[in-house]
Amino acid sequence: MANDYQDFILNIKRKTGIDLSLYKEAQMKRRLISLYEKKGFNSFGDFFNGILKDRELLNDFLDRMTINVSEFYRNAQRWEVLEKKILPGLLEHNRNLKIWSAACSTGEEPYTIAMILSKMLPLSQIKITATDIDENALARARMGVYPERSLNEVPEKMRQKFFGREGSFFKISQDIKKTVIFKKQNLLADDFGGPFDLIVCRNVLIYFTEEAKDQLYYKFSSALRKDGIFFVGSTEQIFNSGRYHLESAETFFYRKE
């Protein structure tokens, strides 16, 4: 049985890029055994053979092993501000925006940015860099397959245009996929590059200490061009933004001075 699971880990890594050995073994095994038994399999070997033949089973597996929970258009009103107020201002000065989605998890955020921008620019002109420290989250993001609950806030027009149904899951279109480049990055240790016109980093900084946050705000600010925008999560207001050469542009949006 132990070897059965080790073989499964290797096979899944080859097929999807996801490394199950990075998760706590006892927990993940329990979770996956309950799934394969429910689906009528008796071993990890049989389960993997089933996954090879059945795309929906692969999607069920991906959904079960995912710990990152994210969604498209999370806090929809904020994305509306980005669409109606922030992006038009940025595009007025530059039609080739340099955009970074930091700590992008399983990809919903950068794909949301791309969908919004598609109303203003041809997709061939949209280039978004998306980074995360979690290799498994990035592997999921590159696949672009999501459970229906991740699409709760997606406008119907966008859902029809950019998603295809695969059983009870949805796959994002190749056209949107091509606009995003995913890379591994450690926010605290790695260089940010830039300068960016827009940096989006939402619902992540709340997990850092005050000291780490302070360091990151300086790094984000340095990675923005003058008048570039930093978009943060709805619980992450920067109260002393001037200290980082940032000023409030809209609630949860900061402009580089």
Side-chain angles (χ1 to χ4, degrees):
M1 187 70 178
N3 285 347
D4 190 32
Y5 185 61
Q6 294 311 315
D7 290 345
F8 184 74
I9 287 175
L10 288 172
N11 288 330
I12 286 292
K13 184 150 190 206
R14 279 190 208 111
K15 172 141 184 76
T16 67
I18 286 167
D19 186 356
L20 289 172
S21 69
L22 299 175
Y23 293 108
K24 288 180 180 163
E25 186 172 315
Q27 248 175 359
M28 186 54 71
K29 265 172 99 167
R30 259 201 318 275
R31 201 184 287 188
L32 294 177
I33 287 169
S34 89
L35 173 65
Y36 80 52
E37 286 178 344
K38 188 174 136 195
K39 299 286 182 182
F41 296 98
N42 298 313
S43 69
F44 279 107
D46 291 346
F47 183 38
F48 183 73
N49 289 332
I51 282 172
L52 289 177
K53 294 179 196 133
D54 182 352
R55 183 78 207 194
E56 178 76 356
L57 187 60
L58 170 63
N59 294 339
D60 282 328
F61 156 73
L62 292 170
D63 193 36
R64 181 61 63 96
M65 56 69 58
T66 296
I67 288 154
N68 292 289
V69 177
S70 187
E71 59 190 64
F72 294 91
Y73 287 84
R74 187 173 173 182
N75 309 118
Q77 307 90 321
R78 301 273 75 81
W79 291 102
E80 204 172 316
V81 173
L82 181 75
E83 181 179 335
K84 301 276 167 35
K85 297 185 176 178
I86 301 295
L87 286 171
L90 290 172
L91 287 165
E92 224 172 275
H93 301 290
N94 178 14
R95 303 295 286 174
N96 293 306
L97 297 180
K98 195 168 178 183
I99 297 170
W100 172 27
S101 169
C104 68
S105 184
T106 43
E108 289 90 337
E109 181 179 277
Y111 289 142
T112 298
I113 299 167
M115 285 189 280
I116 289 170
L117 266 173
S118 73
K119 296 179 177 184
M120 307 167 200
L121 290 170
L123 284 169
S124 58
Q125 238 177 288
I126 300 169
K127 295 280 176 286
I128 298 161
T129 300
T131 63
D132 202 276
I133 197 167
D134 183 343
E135 296 268 22
N136 288 331
L138 292 170
R140 287 291 313 270
R142 289 184 187 107
M143 272 182 276
V145 176
Y146 299 93
E148 189 158 11
R149 64 173 181 272
S150 294
L151 279 73
N152 282 342
E153 299 284 343
V154 176
E156 191 50 41
K157 210 182 232 179
M158 290 297 187
R159 188 187 280 227
Q160 284 174 10
K161 190 172 182 182
F162 293 124
F163 291 91
R165 190 182 264 281
E166 285 195 352
S168 56
F169 291 80
F170 289 83
K171 185 163 193 174
I172 200 150
S173 76
Q174 274 304 114
D175 291 344
I176 287 288
K177 262 197 196 178
K178 280 181 197 160
T179 66
V180 184
I181 293 163
F182 291 100
K183 295 176 183 171
K184 184 174 181 179
Q185 183 191 46
N186 178 333
L187 289 177
L188 288 169
D190 296 340
D191 184 56
F192 283 5
F196 294 97
D197 298 281
L198 173 67
I199 297 175
V200 182
C201 184
R202 306 177 73 232
N203 311 305
V204 176
L205 294 171
I206 42 170
Y207 300 110
F208 288 100
T209 64
E210 288 307 312
E211 193 185 353
K213 255 192 264 192
D214 187 55
Q215 183 191 333
L216 287 170
Y217 287 144
Y218 278 118
K219 284 180 80 173
F220 281 124
S221 175
S222 299
L224 279 169
R225 69 159 177 78
K226 188 184 180 312
D227 295 324
I229 296 288
F230 182 37
F231 177 18
V232 300
S234 298
T235 55
E236 297 174 323
Q237 215 157 342
I238 309 171
F239 294 106
N240 50 346
S241 58
R243 170 187 165 105
Y244 310 106
H245 307 291
L246 298 169
E247 59 181 8
S248 181
E250 294 282 338
T251 312
F252 309 114
F253 292 88
Y254 296 89
R255 182 178 285 109
K256 171 79 174 282
E257 292 173 337

